[in-house]
Amino acid sequence: MIPEGGFVLEPYGLVLGGGGAKGGYEIGVWKALRELQIPIKAVTGTSVGALNGALIVQGEFEKAIDIWTNLSIENVVKVEKEIEVAKESDKKFISIFNTIKNLITNGGLDVTPLRELINNILDEEKIRKSDIDFGIVTFSLSDFKPVELFKDEIPEGSLADYLLASACFPAFRPHEIGEKKFIDGGIYDNIPLGLMLKKDIRNIIVVDISGVGLVRKVNKKGVNIVEIKNSDDLGGTLDFNGERSIKNIELGYLDAMKAFGKFKGYKYFFKPNEEFDETKEMFRNLDIVYLKKFYSFLGLDFGAKKNTTNKIVLDKVIRTIQQYSNGKLSMDSIFPAMLEITAEQLGIDRRRLYTLNELTDLILEEYQRTISSDNFREKMPWINKLLTSRTQLEFDREILKNGFEKKYLISFDANASELDDKIKRFRRFVAMAFPKIMISNMLIAFLLEKRTIESSKNEIVSESE
């Protein structure tokens, strides 16, 4: 939990989870920590978290970015000849899948390339001399027990071996150190918070990249933990791909900045500024006006407080908006929440930083593209048929029979001044079945109305001048 009023600029312990190819996310988190100038006093990591931890302790940020943005499966495992033969098969995918499966079955994948990569990036002397402590987790198959070590417990010259041991994913060939075999530490503790607590560090940042493995429960009492977890899918554990890593790095940066209160938003990311606060005023200063607009848009009676239809429909809509307001619904949080819901429904990229005005413009641009498309006009007869639904059952049956694209329902009749009862009944059906779609339709209607009013005001000003 982050202390009230912001974070404390004192040293933190950094715990990095395992997750294979998802590890670029952790470099994005590091990018944010560097920007925020948060000092790190110790790093513990499992698997790819151990590899990233070594780069962090060395202070090799640019090298880390270069490695992850150019990473491929060939940098990790040696399967070139087998895959090339499999590609000649008529059934390429099945053949490649079976080839990898057989390699795993017959002792595991050859990680010679990963060993070479570790040797190239590792500066053992720099890590040992660093003021930042460093711990890793691996698992001994020979003793069938976990091995948790800090750098001063690892024999000189053996750090590369133990890093590889920690990162020996179960599909990989076990790594031998001396006469013992080791595999990925994730089978014991994929997020080594307990190892960090052994150093009696009370301010800890935990990075969880949804890796496969066990996470051991520890007593967190008296510990200030900032948890950073990927807010979107990071791809597969063995999907080593530079382009994917670039996206994961950016997401790690955005999630970390939000975790420390520097960015706002529920699923999207906004940088707080004057424009952010001014745009929210659209709802804050017109609370009763817009509350009445909510009712009117859905054809509900504003004065009938105990009306059952009012209660059911509004409950659906309000609960959905509240979810995107981090559970705290207020007049100044309604607009950003509705904006995020609409952007999500329209498929607008969430892995970047926006202002509210930028996201608003993108939403309206997508709306204009939709209503101008031939596909939208082709869907009109089906939407008009939905309008004739007299019951929720009829509406649901028509939706299931024909399927639908969300953006068409979102864009249909986005008019805040609509008076047709048939349209309003249709909106209530949509609000009950797909509240996010109706919220999106409502927001676009309000935005269009707002722009029309502003345009009229500007025309009057121009004429007076």
Side-chain angles (χ1 to χ4, degrees):
M1 183 176 178
I2 301 171
E4 188 175 348
F7 58 86
V8 179
L9 274 177
E10 56 183 78
Y12 275 77
L14 177 62
V15 178
L16 301 174
K22 305 175 185 183
Y25 180 91
E26 296 175 338
I27 302 304
V29 172
W30 185 23
K31 176 184 174 182
L33 299 182
R34 284 163 53 88
E35 185 174 314
L36 296 171
Q37 298 182 325
I38 295 175
I40 302 299
K41 68 185 300 182
V43 179
T44 59
T46 298
S47 194
V48 73
L51 302 182
N52 283 331
L55 288 165
I56 291 171
V57 176
Q58 289 177 199
E60 303 275 9
F61 178 72
E62 296 302 330
K63 182 182 285 188
I65 292 291
D66 181 64
I67 290 167
W68 277 103
T69 54
N70 291 287
L71 199 62
S72 67
I73 188 67
E74 288 81 11
N75 299 127
V76 180
V77 294
K78 190 175 182 180
V79 293
E80 297 95 332
K81 291 181 180 178
E82 293 86 348
I83 294 297
E84 286 304 317
V85 172
K87 284 180 179 178
E88 300 302 320
S89 168
D90 291 333
K91 297 179 179 179
K92 293 181 182 178
F93 175 78
I94 295 174
S95 184
I96 292 171
F97 175 80
N98 287 334
T99 298
I100 293 176
K101 181 181 177 182
N102 290 334
L103 287 169
I104 294 171
T105 304
N106 295 320
L109 297 172
D110 183 349
V111 292
T112 299
L114 179 58
R115 175 62 192 249
E116 293 173 355
L117 179 64
I118 291 174
N119 286 338
N120 288 333
I121 66 175
L122 183 67
D123 188 331
E124 182 168 344
E125 183 180 1
K126 187 179 286 187
I127 287 177
R128 292 190 180 280
K129 288 183 176 179
S130 173
D131 292 333
I132 303 173
D133 206 350
F134 181 47
I136 61 102
V137 180
T138 183
F139 190 87
S140 171
L141 281 178
S142 302
D143 302 319
F144 209 74
K145 67 178 184 180
V147 176
E148 298 177 296
L149 299 169
F150 279 91
K151 63 183 182 181
D152 60 353
E153 299 170 304
I154 298 173
E156 291 278 349
S158 298
L159 185 54
D161 279 311
Y162 279 94
L163 284 176
L164 185 54
S166 179
C168 239
F169 191 67
F172 298 166
R173 191 173 298 163
H175 183 60
E176 295 186 14
I177 303 177
E179 297 180 355
K180 296 184 178 182
K181 292 182 178 181
F182 295 85
I183 60 172
D184 196 298
I187 72 164
Y188 171 73
D189 192 358
N190 202 47
I191 303 176
L193 173 59
L195 181 59
M196 181 65 73
L197 292 175
K198 289 180 180 180
K199 290 291 180 177
D200 197 32
I201 294 172
R202 297 290 128 182
N203 290 302
I204 301 173
I205 299 162
V206 176
V207 185
D208 179 0
I209 54 176
S210 302
V212 177
L214 295 176
V215 178
R216 306 193 75 79
K217 292 184 178 180
V218 297
N219 183 2
K220 300 177 183 178
K221 187 176 180 180
V223 183
N224 168 41
I225 297 178
V226 179
E227 295 186 76
I228 304 172
K229 181 173 174 56
N230 56 295
S231 61
D232 203 355
D233 179 50
L234 298 176
T237 303
L238 294 178
D239 182 18
F240 291 96
N241 179 290
E243 290 184 10
R244 181 75 190 211
S245 292
I246 291 171
K247 294 179 181 178
N248 290 347
I249 290 169
E250 183 61 20
L251 185 64
Y253 169 77
L254 293 169
D255 282 342
M257 294 295 281
K258 186 185 289 186
F260 280 95
K262 293 302 179 181
F263 295 162
K264 293 184 177 293
Y266 177 67
K267 288 192 174 182
Y268 284 75
F269 302 91
F270 303 110
K271 188 171 184 178
N273 54 23
E274 290 183 8
E275 174 268 326
F276 184 88
D277 294 328
E278 288 170 2
T279 308
K280 290 192 298 184
E281 294 292 325
M282 171 174 144
F283 277 84
R284 181 188 291 166
N285 290 341
L286 298 170
D287 50 358
I288 298 300
V289 173
Y290 272 94
L291 188 58
K292 287 182 178 179
K293 283 182 179 291
F294 269 79
Y295 276 79
S296 175
F297 190 84
L298 297 168
L300 302 175
D301 184 356
F302 184 71
K305 304 296 184 183
K306 296 183 180 181
N307 184 288
T308 302
T309 302
N310 277 15
K311 188 176 186 307
I312 294 173
V313 174
L314 283 174
D315 186 62
K316 279 270 188 179
V317 172
I318 290 171
R319 281 180 180 273
T320 304
I321 294 174
Q322 188 173 23
Q323 178 189 350
Y324 283 70
S325 304
N326 292 309
K328 299 176 182 178
L329 191 63
S330 61
M331 291 313 299
D332 64 336
S333 70
I334 291 176
F335 177 68
M338 291 178 71
L339 205 62
E340 287 200 50
I341 290 168
T342 308
E344 180 187 41
Q345 295 301 295
L346 292 174
I348 293 173
D349 181 21
R350 61 175 293 268
R351 296 191 181 206
R352 53 161 286 196
L353 186 62
Y354 292 98
T355 66
L356 293 183
N357 282 338
E358 285 172 344
L359 196 53
T360 297
D361 290 342
L362 286 175
I363 286 170
L364 291 177
E365 286 171 14
E366 184 60 34
Y367 163 76
Q368 290 296 338
R369 271 195 296 271
T370 300
I371 63 174
S372 302
S373 69
D374 292 337
N375 286 338
F376 182 70
R377 286 188 285 273
E378 289 172 7
K379 286 287 183 180
M380 286 300 292
W382 171 69
I383 295 177
N384 286 325
K385 190 169 183 180
L386 275 177
L387 282 171
T388 64
S389 302
R390 303 300 304 178
T391 66
Q392 186 71 47
L393 183 62
E394 287 180 27
F395 176 84
D396 293 344
R397 188 184 300 124
E398 194 64 32
I399 286 284
L400 289 172
K401 184 172 69 176
N402 291 281
F404 71 98
E405 288 196 50
K406 292 185 286 189
K407 63 181 180 181
Y408 296 141
L409 287 181
I410 288 170
S411 303
F412 178 75
D413 198 49
N415 180 1
S417 302
E418 178 62 68
L419 299 174
D420 190 327
D421 287 337
K422 185 168 63 174
I423 297 291
K424 292 188 176 184
R425 185 182 70 246
F426 170 71
R427 288 172 176 170
R428 290 195 294 274
F429 283 150
V430 176
M432 289 293 292
F434 313 104
K436 290 182 183 179
I437 288 177
M438 184 43 53
I439 289 166
S440 303
N441 181 254
M442 187 187 305
L443 176 76
I444 290 172
F446 290 168
L447 291 175
L448 292 172
E449 180 186 65
K450 183 173 181 285
R451 286 203 169 180
T452 299
I453 293 171
E454 289 175 349
S455 179
S456 298
K457 287 180 179 179
N458 289 337
E459 287 178 10
I460 293 172
V461 171
S462 297
E463 290 174 2
S464 65
E465 291 176 349

